[in-house]
Amino acid sequence: MTQMLLTHDPRTGTAVAHHACTDATQIDQICQRARQAFFQHWRTLPAARRSEALLSVARHLREQLEAFAAAEAADTGKSLATARGEVAGAAGLWEYAAALARVEHTETLGSATGSGLALTLREPMGVVGLIVPWNYPLITTAERMPFALAAGCCVILKPSELAVGSLALLVAHLQQNPLFPADVVQVVYGVGKEAGQALTRHPAVDMIAFVGSTATGRAIETAAASCGKRVTAELGGNNQVLVYPDANLAVAADGVIAGALRNGGQACIAGTHVLVDPAVADEFVSQLQQALQRRFPASSSDAVPEGLQPMITLAHKQRIQSLVQAGLAQGGVALPGSRLDGPGHFLGPVLIDHVAPDSALREQELFGPVITICRVAASQFNAIVADNQYGLAVYVWTAASSTALQAVRQLRVGRIWVNADPEFWLPELPVGGFADSGVGREGGIRALDTYSLPKAAIIY
Ligand code: NAD
């Protein structure tokens, strides 16, 4: 009997849709068909044709923006406005990949061989298994799928079991789009330990592009390495926000609230942990509380502040609550306006001041609407960031270009924002992490290198 996945709206708890799980036999057939599509069609298609196909997907995303946004909002609990922004961002990534599809980074060495010619070509990796999480299904897919396709790879997508709808729409379009030959893009549905693991182990899959938690990513890296697959993994983050004494504190406070609480804090790049110099700590905390009021102008009688996003599951909410309780037991102080509980999947926002640098609250990825504040001398900021096992993102708030430059040069993290919150990113810039935040890079001008390998030849 076919197993079914049932997704739920975290806002209301109501059922959204059933999706049939792909069984082991079907996954095997899908992988074999992807391999055939790769060798018979997609790998050798002229780059301009691949580019045209990718552009048509971007157009479709823009034309059907409302349908994609509604599907994304229903599964994840994000607002329609947020989901619309995500669809537009995804379309931008498909457009950028369409442009890159026509740019080849190859070399020709005329003089190295005497009378012959030496050259390099880019060879696509082959079949890519793309495994994505629930928090930003369309964006995390768009950061990878179109670039893999642009490089000449075929893709098998594995959505999270918690958020399927927008990606099911995307795959349905790709499979009906006449510019994509059959089986160039396929999908498998199911839980990670079944559908995801089957992809990572299948011999017809050449590469895994993974986005998700550090624990799962490490397990996938081990499984894939044991059978010789390339892996890119963009994993968890536990990101610090450095507030220097010379920063514009009011602007910084608005940026911190937006950047930490977007998507209910369920974002790998959320700037959760504030380090603020004691010289300005009282003033900054006051600004932060005012910024919170501006962003979530809820009266105390409101059960849920407008604009707040629910946690994806009750278990996830309870996990955050227990981490917060442990942090409070270790001396953290919940600021007025913090909501340690809420109806259903709702929680927060929570602001916790006086968190010690070594508090357990700062050690794990919280992934919720929580901001911790640690009062510590600015001279220690960089050392504290360096101590963190993660290396995904850092936010720097300062008026001094020398401080900004020093942070940018010294910190080993994949993305650094100076005087900005993460609303602003560009497809032209690569994404990825250091240490426990992952391996490999996606996006940016060299994005196709991730999905191809150089091949060298000498011709006489
Ligand atoms: P998760 O690791 O539980 O699941 C991610 C995906 O992996 C899902 O599709 C899941 O079904 C699949 N999976 C689970 N176990 C598997 C296995 N053994 N083999 C193969 N696939 C398996 O993560 P999540 O809870 O869906 O997402 C939240 C996490 O994702 C957070 O840690 C967050 O930081 C991270 N994330 C990172 C980025 C980034 O760009 N760095 C972006 C978004 C989310």
Side-chain angles (χ1 to χ4, degrees), residues 131-135 140 144 158-161 190-193 196-197 200 210-214 216 220 234-237 268 365 367 392 415:
I131 302 174
V132 296
W134 50 263
N135 61 337
T140 50
R144 292 158 182 83
K158 197 325 243 149
S160 163
E161 51 274 39
V191 296
K193 286 221 146 55
Q197 235 172 52
T200 58
F210 173 75
V211 193
S213 62
T214 301
T216 308
I220 286 175
E234 215 188 327
L235 308 176
C268 57
E365 183 180 42
F367 226 57
L392 197 63
R415 293 197 247 183

Side-chain angles (χ1 to χ4, degrees), residues 160-346:
S160 163
E161 51 274 39
L162 298 174
V164 179
S166 60
L167 294 180
L169 278 183
L170 178 70
V171 172
H173 166 70
L174 284 158
Q175 294 184 339
Q176 288 159 14
N177 185 325
L179 299 177
F180 289 89
D183 302 326
V184 167
V185 177
Q186 298 176 84
V187 63
V188 300
Y189 296 118
V191 296
K193 286 221 146 55
E194 292 166 13
Q197 235 172 52
L199 274 187
T200 58
R201 293 186 175 158
H202 200 284
V205 175
D206 301 283
M207 170 176 172
I208 297 292
F210 173 75
V211 193
S213 62
T214 301
T216 308
R218 291 292 185 236
I220 286 175
E221 283 166 29
T222 307
S226 72
C227 47
K229 297 188 201 312
R230 177 185 274 196
V231 177
T232 61
E234 215 188 327
L235 308 176
N238 203 19
N239 312 303
Q240 314 280 327
V241 182
L242 315 182
V243 182
Y244 284 87
D246 61 358
N248 180 328
L249 298 182
V251 174
D254 278 326
V256 171
I257 293 293
L261 303 181
R262 182 172 290 119
N263 218 40
Q266 299 165 117
C268 57
I269 53 168
T272 305
H273 300 298
V274 173
L275 301 177
V276 58
D277 192 279
V280 292
D282 285 344
E283 171 60 14
F284 181 66
V285 168
S286 157
Q287 292 284 354
L288 212 49
Q289 288 177 280
Q290 292 169 45
L292 187 71
Q293 261 301 314
R294 280 194 293 278
R295 175 85 180 197
F296 299 104
S299 76
S300 55
S301 60
D302 285 345
V304 177
E306 196 180 330
L308 194 69
Q309 188 174 317
M311 301 300 95
I312 187 79
T313 59
L314 270 183
H316 183 53
K317 169 181 164 177
Q318 285 155 2
R319 174 190 160 273
I320 297 165
Q321 283 178 311
S322 67
L323 288 169
V324 166
Q325 288 306 338
L328 296 176
Q330 283 191 317
V333 176
L335 291 174
S338 295
R339 291 159 184 264
L340 305 182
D341 202 353
H345 291 201
F346 285 92

Side-chain angles (χ1 to χ4, degrees), residues 105-109 118-122 454-457:
H105 296 285
T106 57
E107 290 112 30
T108 311
L109 305 170
L119 54 85
T120 63
L121 305 169
R122 297 295 312 184
K455 190 164 76 175

